[in-house]
Amino acid sequence: MKNRLKELRQLHQWSQSDLARELGVSRQAVNGFESGKFDPSLDMAFKIASLFNVAIEDVFIYEAKNSMQTLAERVKNFFGFEFGFERFTEKAINALNFARNEATRSQNSQVEPEHLLAGLLADPTTTSARLLRANGCLVSIETDEHSFEIRENTKFSPQSKFVLELALQVVRLQGKKSIGTEHLLWGLTRLVETDKTALSDLLKRYEIDLEALNKQLAQTV
């Protein structure tokens, strides 16, 4: 994958060895990243973007027909209600619909991360629900035949949009076309790590082993 890593490194007046030290990798690894000989892991890609304080798409160049679109435009096309949910898997759409309904039921004006978590647990056959339950979550979510039908066009909160943006970035890096429940769950766990919100307490109450969950997600996503 093409990238701007060398350009960003030189702007900071760092050698490859300097950058390697910051990232905790070898100089040879940095050279491989810069030359495009091999791609960094997802976690490493986000670490690089965070180090330079830029969006991940400002480091790694996605070569596709829509590569000139901004991230905001792509996100809007992915999950903006007026455009539909064509780029999500059916199970991911159901999870988001459930989250919206859950926000309405709890009289919230926006879909918050805790509603997304409920949506990812609602269908026990999804990858996200299986991973959550395999790592300690024993919470049972009640559903009925209408639970996954969209009822209200409830907007996503800034934190929930951040989760969706992370899910989008993951599938872009992988060269995949669809966002699944596992990608949404990956975005949620990254949110917990970057922003100590009420979701952290919720995960603890659900007795979810976040460290173990992250390890399994790294193998799944």
Side-chain angles (χ1 to χ4, degrees):
M1 182 183 294
K2 292 184 179 180
N3 62 75
R4 297 178 55 235
L5 186 55
K6 182 177 180 179
E7 175 188 344
L8 291 168
R9 173 176 62 77
Q10 291 177 338
L11 283 173
H12 282 69
Q13 298 184 331
W14 285 345
S15 66
Q16 286 187 339
S17 295
D18 292 332
L19 179 56
R21 189 162 45 250
E22 292 290 332
L23 296 174
V25 298
S26 67
R27 187 196 64 77
Q28 289 79 7
V30 170
N31 183 62
F33 296 157
E34 289 187 352
S35 65
K37 185 176 181 180
F38 52 86
D39 296 331
S41 66
L42 291 176
D43 283 343
M44 180 57 66
F46 278 99
K47 186 174 183 179
I48 290 170
S50 177
L51 177 64
F52 290 112
N53 195 29
V54 296
I56 198 167
E57 65 169 10
D58 291 331
V59 183
F60 300 96
I61 302 168
Y62 180 60
E63 297 177 288
K65 292 181 180 179
N66 64 350
S67 61
M68 297 304 292
Q69 291 179 289
T70 64
L71 175 61
E73 288 172 335
R74 283 199 297 276
V75 169
K76 188 175 182 181
N77 283 324
F78 263 65
F79 67 85
F81 183 76
E82 64 271 32
F83 290 92
F85 291 102
E86 292 85 358
R87 301 301 294 274
F88 286 91
T89 64
E90 182 179 357
K91 290 183 182 294
I93 292 172
N94 287 341
L96 294 176
N97 285 347
F98 186 93
R100 275 178 156 160
N101 294 337
E102 186 67 10
T104 300
R105 187 192 65 78
S106 57
Q107 299 184 327
N108 283 83
S109 60
Q110 299 183 103
V111 178
E112 300 292 347
E114 57 263 33
H115 303 133
L116 292 178
L117 180 60
L120 294 174
L121 276 166
D123 180 354
T125 68
T126 62
T127 301
S128 60
R130 289 198 298 269
L131 285 170
L132 286 165
R133 290 192 164 84
N135 289 283
C137 183
L138 301 177
V139 174
S140 178
I141 303 294
E142 293 186 8
T143 61
D144 58 40
E145 58 182 322
H146 302 296
S147 292
F148 302 107
E149 297 174 1
I150 188 66
R151 300 171 190 171
E152 298 286 341
N153 183 16
T154 309
K155 303 299 182 183
F156 294 94
S157 71
Q159 288 180 331
S160 291
K161 287 182 179 179
F162 179 69
V163 170
L164 297 175
E165 289 172 2
L166 289 178
L168 168 61
Q169 291 176 350
V170 169
V171 297
R172 283 183 58 243
L173 281 174
Q174 294 177 323
K176 294 182 178 179
K177 294 183 178 180
S178 299
I179 295 176
T181 59
E182 64 275 19
H183 301 115
L184 295 173
L185 180 57
W186 193 88
L188 268 181
T189 60
R190 298 286 82 73
L191 174 65
V192 173
E193 292 182 354
T194 59
D195 186 359
K196 300 301 181 183
T197 64
L199 187 61
S200 299
D201 293 331
L202 187 62
L203 291 177
K204 290 179 182 178
R205 289 205 306 274
Y206 282 9
E207 298 184 356
I208 296 171
D209 186 335
L210 186 58
E211 183 177 353
L213 175 61
N214 280 330
K215 288 180 180 179
Q216 286 197 12
L217 271 173
Q219 298 172 352
T220 304
V221 172

